[in-house]
């Protein structure tokens, strides 16, 4: 059943006409921002929700961060951070507890990251008041390049909310999710491959760009 569903989604996805890659140099630096979603230790290296799939994109994410730093591109990083009694733990195992190593950006990304960090207590960073203030103060940004985890949860919810908000306000801004730099997890009935495919398809059909890669 899963294989049939994946095959159907793959065929539908191909019909959308995907862009193979984009060039970082094609963007105006002062009008572009890199949004990094939850590349923290608790999803990358340690803890109940860490995933080898997410670990696999860590090094190249760090390289993109370095390139953005060198090109003076604005950067923002969401960091999952919860109190021990967080309501979210009714749905997910305890993870990314505040004041622990799990809530911190990985050392590889931290080495080159110069920007704003926003802690979030839910799967959707868009609704954090601090992000709303950041968005208001950065109304010059026209291109939002998104990477991180999890593709079908935090990345999907943030990207859809951001695009929907721009549509509501009739703003012509680009929301771009890089497939090669987004990942999710495998576990139980949650298959990473099909979850990624479904999420990218969902984003693409809602006006979000989902190129396979970014060249920098």
């Amino acid at each position: 059943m899963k294989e049939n569903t994946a095959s159907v989604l793959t065929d539908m996805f191909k019909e959308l006409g995907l862009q193979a890659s984009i060039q970082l140099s094609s963007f105006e630096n002062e009008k572009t921002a890199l949004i990094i979603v939850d590349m923290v230790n608790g999803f990358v290296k340690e803890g109940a929700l860490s995933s080898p799939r997410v670990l696999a994109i860590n090094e190249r994410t760090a390289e993109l961060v370095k390139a953005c730093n060198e090109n003076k591109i604005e950067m923002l990083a969401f960091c999952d951070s919860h109190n021990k009694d967080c309501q979210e733990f009714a749905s997910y195992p305890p993870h990314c507890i505040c004041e622990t190593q799990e809530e911190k950006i990985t050392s590889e990304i931290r080495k080159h990251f110069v920007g704003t960090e926003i802690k979030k207590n839910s799967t959707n960073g868009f609704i954090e008041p601090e992000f709303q203030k950041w968005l208001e103060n950065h109304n010059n940004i026209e291109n939002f390049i998104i990477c991180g985890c999890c593709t079908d949860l935090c990345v999907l919810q943030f990207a859809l909310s951001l695009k929907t908000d721009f549509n509501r306000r009739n703003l012509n801004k680009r929301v771009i999710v890089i497939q090669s730099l987004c990942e999710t997890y495998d576990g139980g009935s949650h298959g990473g491959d099909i979850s990624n495919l479904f999420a990218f398809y969902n984003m693409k059909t809602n006006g979000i760009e989902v190129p396979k890669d970014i060249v920098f």
Side-chain angles (χ1 to χ4, degrees), residues 1-214:
M1 181 66 177
K2 286 184 179 180
E3 290 182 0
N4 290 338
T5 302
S7 178
V8 170
L9 277 174
T10 300
D11 290 342
M12 293 172 67
F13 207 29
K14 288 178 180 178
E15 291 177 5
L16 292 176
L18 295 180
Q19 189 176 358
S21 64
I22 58 172
Q23 300 274 345
L24 185 63
S25 60
S26 68
F27 297 96
E28 294 184 60
N29 295 353
E30 67 276 8
K31 295 182 179 181
T32 302
L34 175 66
I35 311 295
I36 307 161
V37 180
D38 287 342
M39 291 301 290
V40 295
N41 291 316
F43 293 127
V44 181
K45 296 182 177 181
E46 60 183 272
L49 294 185
S50 61
S51 167
R53 298 181 70 118
V54 181
L55 177 61
I57 66 170
N58 184 52
E59 289 284 355
R60 192 151 185 272
T61 300
E63 292 173 6
L64 175 58
V65 169
K66 181 181 179 182
C68 288
N69 188 10
E70 291 172 347
N71 287 280
K72 295 181 170 50
I73 291 174
E74 189 75 35
M75 288 185 277
L76 181 147
F78 285 112
C79 301
D80 216 45
S81 180
H82 306 290
N83 292 322
K84 291 182 178 180
D85 59 352
C86 176
Q87 183 60 35
E88 188 175 291
F89 296 163
S91 303
Y92 302 100
H95 60 279
C96 300
I97 305 296
C98 61
E99 305 303 325
T100 70
Q101 285 299 309
E102 284 193 25
E103 70 163 1
K104 299 184 184 304
I105 297 172
T106 66
S107 58
E108 293 83 5
I109 293 173
R110 169 71 64 194
K111 182 178 179 181
H112 305 292
F113 180 80
V114 178
T116 302
E117 293 181 46
I118 296 179
K119 294 183 179 183
K120 65 182 183 67
N121 191 41
S122 77
T123 51
N124 192 349
F126 180 84
I127 64 177
E128 290 294 334
E130 191 175 348
F131 176 73
Q132 292 300 313
K133 291 178 182 177
W134 182 93
L135 194 60
E136 182 179 350
N137 292 332
H138 292 80
N139 56 20
N140 62 301
I141 302 298
E142 297 180 358
N143 311 299
F144 295 78
I145 301 172
I146 302 170
C147 63
C149 74
C150 288
T151 316
D152 54 319
L153 293 168
C154 301
V155 172
L156 176 67
Q157 291 178 21
F158 172 73
L160 287 177
S161 297
L162 187 63
K163 185 62 176 178
T164 301
D165 181 61
F166 291 153
N167 288 346
R168 178 186 66 84
R169 294 190 283 148
N170 203 31
L171 297 176
N172 184 23
K173 295 177 182 278
R174 297 172 68 184
V175 179
I176 305 155
V177 176
I178 310 300
Q179 289 189 53
S180 64
L181 292 178
C182 288
E183 260 300 352
T184 189
Y185 64 95
D186 289 311
S189 60
H190 186 275
D193 288 343
I194 194 169
S195 296
N196 277 335
L197 190 59
F198 177 80
F200 290 133
Y201 180 80
N202 192 344
M203 288 185 275
K204 178 66 175 177
T205 55
N206 280 283
I208 295 167
E209 298 175 51
V210 287
K212 290 186 177 179
D213 200 7
I214 183 167

